[in-house]
Structure formats: structure tokens, C-alpha cells
Amino acid sequence: MSGVESPDEYRSGNGDEIESLAEFDAAVAAGSLAGRRVQSVDLTERSEALLTTDTAGAVFLGCPMEPGPEEKVRAGGAFVFPPVPGLPFDPYRGLLYSPDALYDGLAREGYAATPDALAFDWFRRTRSDGDAFASMLRALHDDAISDALAEVLAGARVAGVMGGHALPRGGAGYAEAARLGRTLARSGLTVATGGGPGAMEAANLGAYAAPHDDAMLDEACAMLGAVPSFTPSVTDWARAAFAVRERWPDGGPSVSIPTWFYGHEPPNPFAGHIAKYFTNALREDGLLARSNAGVIFLPGAAGTVQEIFDSVTPNYYESRGEPVPMVLVGHDHWTRELPAWPLLQTLASGRTMESRIALVDTVEEAPDALARLSGA
């Protein structure tokens, strides 16, 4: 299956970083915290360890401590960046989000009370007021997310699936996108999407369904079809997804990379790892840059067109090395409705990327086209 670990199995790949109490305790047992980076770990119950362990040159990012140990740590040559009170998110977080973390409180109080909704409300209030502190907090958060995403995807072969957020549950297009995600995951690829509803949710659902029998995905699509869209109620839309997860636990892993910039697009709950950003440009670049096994573009609108040409530019200049495969799905869509394919062909002509692009008519053709362009 995928090279991405499940959330419970995840451990930092960077030996200098400490992102859990277990890792902190292991470092203390080894005799030193000197030079380590301790990221968003609650240390209020580790006062004795802080008082008795060498912390010279260590950096503590958003780690709650009792006053005495904090004073000792600072005096011992460590840098301490304290938690920021009153925020609906942790700017120093060491791990990616899980669906349960972003949707905490959904079952009890509805979407408006979840960390995801509260973070968007904070972002909406602060993004245009010019507050340098708020801008710094957003930048810290997004950098921490990029770091965590790089750790999760280290060594994985990632296939990006892009497509429109408006594709409704219950329709043939949604089911096709879900089967695409399942096929990619079963072939050993890690599925990565933009993390929102529609085609993105379908691809993450397909990866989630990969360990289950084929009938599970058909039944899940039927259940979700009862709430076809996140409008008018994100609460009902998300609850339907969690009902699927509860009925079929232990789904396969995948990654989604959404953004609070598009507040009208809630993150879908089927990805095991969610890298949610405030800055959409970082999110777009990170998603496409990490799709090292290629990208499949399902029919979409302006956002999907932007993703096509965000992918084209590094392929054209080979700024990230050899071009990665690009498969566009839907002949009429990409040649008549939104004619991106002719321009893509023109740009690719005579360049290395010419042999790495394909247009197919159906979703079922996309995995074979991706494998062919990859030489797999």
C-alpha cells in the first residue's frame, strides 16, 4: 500500500526534533536535550526532567512549562517561544492535522464550533487588518505545516489528483473519481489532493477505501449521496463523511492539502493527514511540488486551471529536475469548454515535457496513462 504511515504510527524523521512526550522522555533518558527542537509538547508534567537535564542550545516552540523549570531552561541557554494564548490553532504544531482534530466538536455542536471553523473566523478577522503579529503567526503555522508535510511524505511516491470542488456526491463523476483514488492507492502510490469537497473528497475517499472490498466504496458513495454538497450545511456534509468512517474504520492513508484562504471549502474527512495552510500560494506549490509520481487533472474550473499551469511552469523549465507526468481527463472539457490542452501542447512542443503529458477521455484511462508516462 501507500508509503505514508498512519497517524498513530507516525514519528518524526528528523532526529533533532521532538514532537511528542514519548520522544521527549526518550531524549531525557539518553541524557541530554542540548541542541534539540521541542515542538508543541505540553511539558507541565515534566518539570523534574527540565530541571535536571542539559538544555543548552535547545529550542522550545510553544511548549507549556511550569514557571520554575522555564526559568531554569532559559538560564541554561535554551530559547523558549511560549504558547500564544487565545488562538484557535497552534502556530508551532509539530504534526499534520487529522480529520478528528479539525472537526472536534462536530457531533456535539456542529461545524461552527470546530477548530477548523474557528481558525477560518480568526483568519477572516485578521488577514486584512495589517497586524504584523497575526501575519507572523500565520507564517509560523504554515512553515510548521510544510515541515510536518515533508516528514510525512519522505520517501513516498505521490500522485496528485486535482479537480473541481463542486462535483456532487451521488453522481457518476464522484464515483469515478473515488475509484481512481482507490486504484492509485492499491498500486502503491500515495494519493494527494487539494483537500476540499467534490473531486478532491472523492479521491481521498477512494484511497481510504483501498484496504476494503470493492463493495464498500459503492456503499459509501450511496451513503454520502444523501448529502450531495457542503451547501447549505457543512455540518450535515461532514457528519455524513464521519458516518462512513465509523461504519468502515481503518481506512487507507492519503494526504490532503487544503487552505483557509478558501473558507467556503471545508476540508474533507477522508485523508489521514491534512496539511491545512493559511497561505494559498504555499499550499498550491507544496501540493504540486510533492506530487513526484505525477498529477491527474479531472474536470474543474478556475482553480484546476491554475493548478495545471502551476504544474506546467517547473516542468517547462525543469526547475525541479525532470518533468513529472501530467494527465488531463476529459477531452471535451480541456479542448472546448476550458481549452487548456492546446496551450499545454504548444508549450510542451520540442521540450522534454512533451513526452510527459497526456489527454484521456475517461477517468478509467488515467492510471494507465500515468504509469505509461512514468515508464512504470
Side-chain angles (χ1 to χ4, degrees), residues 11-364:
R11 292 294 183 270
S12 170
N14 187 334
D16 290 333
E17 293 181 4
I18 294 173
E19 297 165 340
S20 69
L21 278 174
E23 292 174 351
F24 178 85
D25 291 341
V28 170
S32 179
L33 293 166
R36 305 297 291 274
R37 277 74 174 119
V38 189
Q39 196 169 350
S40 192
V41 180
D42 188 342
L43 300 177
T44 52
E45 300 295 326
R46 295 297 189 274
S47 293
E48 182 178 352
L50 292 169
L51 290 169
T52 58
T53 306
D54 181 13
T55 56
V59 179
F60 293 86
L61 300 169
C63 299
M65 307 178 197
E66 296 295 341
E70 181 176 339
E71 183 178 350
K72 177 266 178 187
V73 164
R74 290 181 184 272
F79 294 90
V80 178
F81 294 79
V84 181
L87 285 179
F89 64 94
D90 179 2
Y92 305 111
R93 64 177 300 114
L95 305 176
L96 296 183
Y97 294 101
S98 67
D100 289 336
L102 284 177
Y103 280 105
D104 185 40
L106 177 75
R108 301 185 304 274
E109 303 175 75
Y111 176 69
T114 64
D116 185 67
L118 295 174
F120 174 65
D121 287 343
W122 178 89
F123 176 52
R124 186 169 49 186
R125 292 194 309 270
T126 63
R127 65 178 169 179
S128 60
D129 62 9
D131 182 2
F133 184 53
S135 296
M136 182 192 74
L137 293 173
R138 292 195 295 269
L140 285 172
H141 171 274
D142 285 359
D143 186 71
I145 290 295
S146 291
D147 180 63
L149 182 61
E151 292 173 353
V152 165
L153 292 180
R157 294 184 64 237
V158 182
V161 179
M162 313 297 151
H165 72 268
L167 186 68
R169 294 167 169 174
Y174 186 95
E176 289 171 352
R179 288 193 292 270
L180 171 64
R182 184 177 65 186
T183 298
L184 295 173
R186 286 178 174 176
S187 73
L189 295 171
T190 295
V191 173
T193 78
M200 295 172 282
E201 180 189 51
N204 286 127
L205 168 64
Y208 185 88
H212 297 278
D213 62 34
D214 288 357
M216 173 267 175
L217 185 56
D218 294 336
E219 293 180 56
C221 286
M223 284 179 62
L224 293 169
V227 187
S229 175
F230 60 95
T231 59
S233 173
V234 175
T235 297
D236 292 344
W237 176 85
R239 283 175 175 169
F242 277 98
V244 169
R245 289 171 54 92
E246 183 176 357
R247 180 169 174 183
W248 293 282
D250 303 319
S254 66
V255 171
S256 71
I257 308 179
T259 175
W260 280 292
F261 183 81
Y262 296 128
H264 61 283
E265 291 187 12
N268 78 72
F270 290 110
H273 301 275
I274 303 175
K276 191 153 191 180
Y277 286 86
F278 289 108
T279 304
N280 188 50
L282 288 176
R283 169 253 191 171
E284 292 277 6
D285 185 69
L287 173 56
L288 294 167
R290 288 173 173 83
S291 296
N292 54 15
V295 187
I296 295 172
F297 299 91
L298 302 175
T304 310
V305 171
Q306 177 182 341
E307 288 160 348
I308 288 173
F309 290 102
D310 281 346
S311 186
V312 164
T313 302
N315 279 353
Y316 181 89
Y317 290 109
E318 300 189 37
S319 54
R320 295 180 184 140
E322 289 194 2
V324 299
M326 298 175 63
V327 178
L328 277 60
V329 178
H331 187 275
D332 285 348
H333 186 84
W334 294 120
T335 61
R336 296 180 183 177
E337 294 180 39
L338 294 173
W341 176 250
L343 179 54
L344 178 56
Q345 281 185 304
T346 300
L347 286 168
S349 179
R351 308 185 76 88
T352 306
M353 67 176 289
E354 187 172 19
S355 63
R356 304 292 177 87
I357 63 172
L359 173 66
V360 298
D361 204 41
T362 66
V363 175
E364 289 79 6

